[in-house]
Amino acid sequence: MTVLKIAIWNANGLSQHKAEVKTFLYAQNIDIMLISETHFTKKNFFRINGYSVYDTKHPEGKAHGGTAVLIKQRLKHYELQKYDKDHIQATNICLEEWSGNCVVSAVYCPPKHAIKKQQFIDYFNQLGNKFLAGGDYNAKHVQWGSRLTTPKGKQLYEAIHEKNLSYLSSGHPTYWPTDRNKIPDLIDFCITKGIAGINANVEDCYDLSSDHSPVIITLSTQVVPANLPKRLTNKQTKWTVYRNIVEQKCQLDIPLRTPEDIDAAVENLTRIMETAAKNATPDISSNQKVNQPSRNIQQLIQEKRAIRRQWQQQRSPLLKWKFNRAVKVLRTALREQETQGIQNYLSELSATEKTDYSLWRAAKKLKRPTLSNPPIRQPDGNWARSDIEKAVAFSIHLNKVFTPHEESKNSKLPQYSEEASNPSPVKFKWKNVKNTIKNCINPKKAPGHDLITGKMIKELPDKCIKLITYIFNAITRRGYFPKKWKISLIIMIAKPGKDETQVASYRPISLLPFISKLFEKMLLGKLKPILSEGHIIPEHQFGFRDQHSTIEQVHRIVNTVKLALEEKKYCSAVFLDIAQAFDKVWHEGLNYKIKTLLPKKFHAVLENYLTQRKYQVKQNAAITELNEINAGVPQGSVLGPVLYLLYTADLPTTDKVTTSTFADDTAIMFSHINPQTASRELQEHLDKIANWLRIWRIKVNETKSTHITFTLNKRTCPLVKLNNVTIPQQTHVKYLGLHLDRRLTWRKHVESKRNQIKIKMSKMYWLIGRTSKLSLDCKVLLYKAIIIPIWTYGIQLWGSTSASNIDILQRTQAKVLRSIVNAPWYIRNSNIHRDLGIKPVKEMIKPFRLKYLLKLETHPNELARELLNQPKYRRLRRADPLDLMNL
């Protein structure tokens, strides 16, 4: 049996009591806290270390009402559907027990609503056959210890009697009105079902300051502890022991003639590394340390508790004054303690190895998305609440995603006659494998389903690396990729701003075995020279290619637009949105292109690499069964992006139409002095692309694509269509992170960067704001590493904008720097820039352009080198991205 401590409390505004609640949870060792009247809105953010926080806001969205549940993360649980009515607000959590599930609900019934019996029954019906619903019911009845019976209390009692429910209360007042004319009474209690009263103990507590006193319920139950993520190694792993065990168990003289031999060798290798890691890694206790309050805080709590008890007994105004004063002193002490703790933490941060790069670990937390855990809507309309139910719902969704688009009449592949030659297979040398492990394996990346980490790969002895090389050569020789390396572990991450109850609002992150990715890196090393020498990847494709970046590709578009503006032409451009580009690649079509574009020695291994791949979805500790992947290039893989480039290499192009692609981001442009002609030529090319898309079963989101006219005139090019669907027209477009407006003024882009800096600064203010005790050197380092890259991205191009636009970013930078150094109003911005060694925005443009100019001069792509050819005559008085004379 396990003892579970549950606290019930009406906070009357939770945010203002955070420090007090934190101390109470740790001091009383509370497992679950049910809170009423949180007064939360969308702007509130409440978090306490070691606890998961779930809340239900008032349906009006205003700062009144609402409930919350604080539950220890070590307890296995999941959130149920919220109950957010005007008359009842409740936050429901399902707590998993060995004998079945139990629902814990924090409930609040506002006093102004007259709630009928049926309304209470509707709420209780949602909680199931075993629950504990505690909170402020604002309902009085002598049956559970109230001083009198009210109409609402009578309705609630009838609902309890009809549903055969029970109640738990202390029998003592929990509401202490400040008005002396009102009498204290009991309105905070629990209603239960399926919980024996003999297993529960209820006691009063006076540790928290509100007009309600908390109630603590101690339950004897059989809760299930949360499963911690499995890891084979930790910081205490003895790597010398690990290497010795691997060295002893590795056998080099093993058969590798058949696919079965390769699978057995891979299975044995994985087992050896797993066993060695377990034997070399000591167990670390998973028990969390309880942060007990300081002795001074404990003494203040005891004094406040004693004064409150006296006031509740005597109701003396003098004791009330002393009690209010004790509450104020305690709150001040708690606030000072929390502030001092944060400042001490900040003062110890640094970017050195001595502190394990604590500064970067603190900054990294700012970039991580806040992971929520709401219920997921299933296809049948029901809710997936537990981790396994959610994982299954995601798996069903991905099963549809990893299926090719429907076949069209034009999807039949041309005939391919395979050569009769039998070329020598691709071979690897173990020293090359060793160098790849040393230089290309990132030990900080998450492992795949086999739990083999990058650190375990890097610590392998030479003997094991030779064994891995033998397996790699057997794979290419037999044209067989091991089954164990075809399994991807998928974790779903919510997309920002999307409805988190819908499966389509989540992005799959695929984790593959490290040794599988090592083989892909080795094979890609053999492929790159062939792709480069044979010019297999088209020149207009800049994605996933060495020495190619987004800036050069956007520069090609900017050059085309500027030329059209100079010549008084209309540039009609379409930016296509490919639907699930990497997930829907047609395997049969991709294999056809592999056979027609690559040497034969790669055919068998790549075809086998693509087929019979499987995935499983992980949601916290729950993992689904294996499912087939019938389409797409492997996510998270090294070869996947290159295979996509091969699949789209024959995208139709002409000399008249400018085509720009970066992976799946595609832009098609045509310029002409007549707007009708510009759109007509563009439409003809779009028709060719539409036919190509049907053949290779690629789908475009026509309504999410963008048609824009770049011109200085007021007229706009006529509409164009794709697959008989009109592409929406816009006045600006975002391509590869840069905003392009129809007149190419860069105003929209500059404003976007200003807003991004403001959002990032709001998240980082606790680190680099005026009140932060972080050292000035660390603040400047964070500014240079995090803030400056936000607005300098694409500065080679947008740096040619007007001085008024540059001043927008200069003012934003000045505000940030003044906040960093906590500068008073009379200090000049120029002095701050000089003392910190940070150049103004305008002075940052020239160094970036010089470096970019040198890159273009030696660029491997002819299309990028052509960007250096500028027209001798210019009609417009506009700066060019490569102009240096005016800087």
Side-chain angles (χ1 to χ4, degrees), residues 72-78 94-96 224-227 387:
K72 279 186 176 178
Q73 294 172 349
R74 66 175 180 80
L75 300 177
K76 194 172 184 181
H77 68 278
Y78 56 87
C94 182
L95 185 66
E96 297 192 29
V224 180
N227 294 326
D387 289 339

Side-chain angles (χ1 to χ4, degrees), residues 1 4 195-201 217-221:
M1 298 291 283
L4 198 67
I195 298 176
I198 195 172
N199 294 333
N201 180 52
I217 300 173
T218 306
L219 285 179
S220 298
T221 182

Side-chain angles (χ1 to χ4, degrees), residues 103-117:
V103 175
V104 180
S105 179
V107 60
Y108 175 64
C109 302
K112 67 177 182 179
H113 293 283
I115 307 177
K116 300 300 182 182
K117 177 184 70 173

Side-chain angles (χ1 to χ4, degrees), residues 556-575 656-658 667-675 677-679 682 707-713 715-718 729-730 741-743:
R556 291 186 60 227
I557 292 176
V558 169
N559 247 24
T560 303
V561 173
K562 288 182 70 67
L563 183 61
L565 299 182
E566 286 283 353
E567 297 177 349
K568 298 183 180 181
K569 292 182 178 180
Y570 294 83
C571 179
S572 184
V574 168
F575 295 82
K656 295 189 298 181
V657 177
T658 300
I668 313 295
M669 312 172 72
F670 185 82
S671 301
H672 198 272
I673 196 168
N674 185 292
T677 304
S679 283
L682 184 64
H707 178 213
I708 182 173
T709 301
F710 294 103
T711 180
L712 297 177
N713 298 312
R715 298 173 65 188
T716 299
C717 292
Q729 283 193 336
Q730 303 290 343
D741 58 86
R742 62 180 281 147
R743 292 176 176 266

Side-chain angles (χ1 to χ4, degrees), residues 426-556:
V426 178
K427 290 186 179 181
F428 307 110
K429 296 181 179 179
W430 79 271
K431 289 186 177 180
N432 292 338
V433 176
K434 184 177 181 179
N435 290 333
T436 303
I437 292 174
K438 180 181 178 180
N439 301 321
C440 300
I441 294 296
N442 187 351
K444 296 183 179 180
K445 292 289 186 180
H449 70 95
D450 57 2
L451 302 180
I452 303 297
T453 64
K455 180 67 173 175
M456 293 170 63
I457 302 293
K458 294 181 81 72
E459 293 291 340
L460 290 175
D462 288 349
K463 184 179 180 181
C464 189
I465 294 176
K466 290 180 180 179
L467 175 59
I468 291 174
T469 307
Y470 294 164
I471 295 175
F472 285 178
N473 288 328
I475 290 173
T476 57
R477 184 176 62 251
R478 292 292 307 172
Y480 176 79
F481 197 75
K483 294 178 181 179
K484 195 175 185 66
W485 293 351
K486 292 183 179 182
I487 300 174
S488 62
L489 185 67
I490 295 180
I491 298 173
M492 307 297 288
I493 303 294
K495 299 176 183 177
K498 299 291 185 179
D499 182 5
E500 296 182 356
T501 63
Q502 303 297 323
V503 291
S505 300
Y506 290 77
R507 180 178 291 109
I509 304 299
S510 181
L511 305 177
L512 296 174
F514 263 97
I515 307 183
S516 166
K517 291 191 284 188
L518 175 62
F519 172 81
E520 293 178 37
K521 289 180 185 292
M522 298 299 299
L523 189 63
L524 184 59
K526 299 289 185 180
L527 268 174
K528 279 184 176 180
I530 297 171
L531 297 176
S532 178
E533 294 170 4
H535 301 284
I536 296 174
I537 305 300
E539 295 294 287
H540 63 76
Q541 176 61 264
F542 279 51
F544 306 116
R545 299 180 66 184
D546 293 339
Q547 303 180 53
H548 289 64
S549 72
T550 56
I551 303 301
E552 294 99 87
Q553 189 64 286
V554 179
H555 193 179
R556 291 186 60 227

Side-chain angles (χ1 to χ4, degrees), residues 232-246 275-283 455-456 459:
L232 296 179
T233 62
N234 53 44
K235 292 183 179 180
Q236 299 182 12
T237 299
K238 300 175 181 177
W239 293 109
T240 303
V241 176
Y242 169 79
R243 287 191 295 270
N244 291 337
I245 295 175
V246 173
T275 303
K278 288 181 178 179
N279 292 336
T281 304
D283 292 332
K455 180 67 173 175
M456 293 170 63
E459 293 291 340

Side-chain angles (χ1 to χ4, degrees), residues 607-853:
E607 183 175 1
N608 192 271
Y609 168 81
L610 283 171
T611 56
Q612 297 181 346
R613 299 191 70 91
K614 297 183 179 181
Y615 73 92
Q616 51 186 174
V617 179
K618 180 180 180 183
Q619 179 71 18
N620 294 326
I623 301 178
T624 63
E625 299 292 330
L626 293 175
N627 290 276
E628 295 283 346
I629 297 177
N630 299 313
V633 294
Q635 289 192 11
S637 67
V638 180
L639 285 174
V642 177
L643 293 176
Y644 180 81
L645 299 188
L646 288 174
Y647 189 64
T648 57
D650 57 345
L651 177 73
T653 59
T654 64
D655 295 335
K656 295 189 298 181
V657 177
T658 300
T659 302
S660 302
T661 54
F662 195 95
D664 61 321
D665 292 300
T666 305
I668 313 295
M669 312 172 72
F670 185 82
S671 301
H672 198 272
I673 196 168
N674 185 292
Q676 284 78 17
T677 304
S679 283
R680 185 175 64 251
E681 293 287 342
L682 184 64
Q683 182 64 63
E684 290 179 2
H685 193 70
L686 286 176
D687 293 339
K688 296 178 183 178
I689 291 178
N691 184 58
W692 178 84
L693 293 172
R694 285 191 291 271
I695 293 174
W696 300 106
R697 298 169 75 168
I698 300 175
K699 182 175 176 56
V700 171
N701 289 320
E702 293 87 1
T703 56
K704 293 184 179 180
S705 300
T706 301
H707 178 213
I708 182 173
T709 301
F710 294 103
T711 180
L712 297 177
N713 298 312
K714 294 182 179 180
R715 298 173 65 188
T716 299
C717 292
L719 297 171
V720 294
K721 296 182 178 181
L722 184 68
N723 298 323
N724 293 322
V725 178
T726 301
I727 298 177
Q729 283 193 336
Q730 303 290 343
T731 57
H732 73 275
V733 65
K734 184 179 180 181
Y735 184 69
L736 301 179
L738 282 90
H739 296 262
L740 309 173
D741 58 86
R742 62 180 281 147
R743 292 176 176 266
L744 206 61
T745 64
W746 297 105
R747 180 73 177 217
K748 184 74 176 179
H749 181 78
V750 170
E751 292 177 345
S752 172
K753 292 303 170 184
R754 178 189 60 188
N755 294 334
Q756 287 183 33
I757 293 172
K758 288 182 178 180
I759 293 172
K760 182 62 71 174
M761 271 301 298
S762 66
K763 294 180 179 179
M764 294 182 61
Y765 190 82
W766 70 282
L767 267 178
I768 63 177
R770 290 181 178 271
T771 59
S772 172
K773 296 300 181 183
L774 189 65
S775 67
L776 183 59
D777 290 341
C778 288
K779 287 184 177 181
V780 174
L781 185 61
L782 286 175
Y783 174 76
K784 290 180 178 179
I786 298 177
I787 302 296
I788 287 183
I790 292 176
W791 60 265
T792 55
Y793 172 72
I795 195 173
Q796 303 91 333
L797 306 178
W798 65 258
S800 59
T801 188
S802 64
S804 61
N805 287 337
I806 292 178
D807 287 342
I808 293 175
L809 288 178
Q810 182 57 57
R811 289 192 295 269
T812 304
Q813 175 173 266
K815 290 179 182 178
V816 173
L817 294 182
R818 296 186 74 87
S819 176
I820 286 177
V821 301
N822 193 19
W825 63 270
Y826 52 81
I827 300 296
R828 291 181 176 273
N829 292 331
S830 57
N831 294 341
I832 297 175
H833 281 79
R834 182 196 63 217
D835 294 341
L836 296 181
I838 296 176
K839 296 180 180 180
V841 174
K842 189 173 182 179
E843 295 181 15
M844 293 281 284
I845 300 174
K846 188 172 182 178
F848 276 90
R849 284 191 180 173
L850 280 171
K851 186 177 180 180
Y852 179 60
L853 183 62

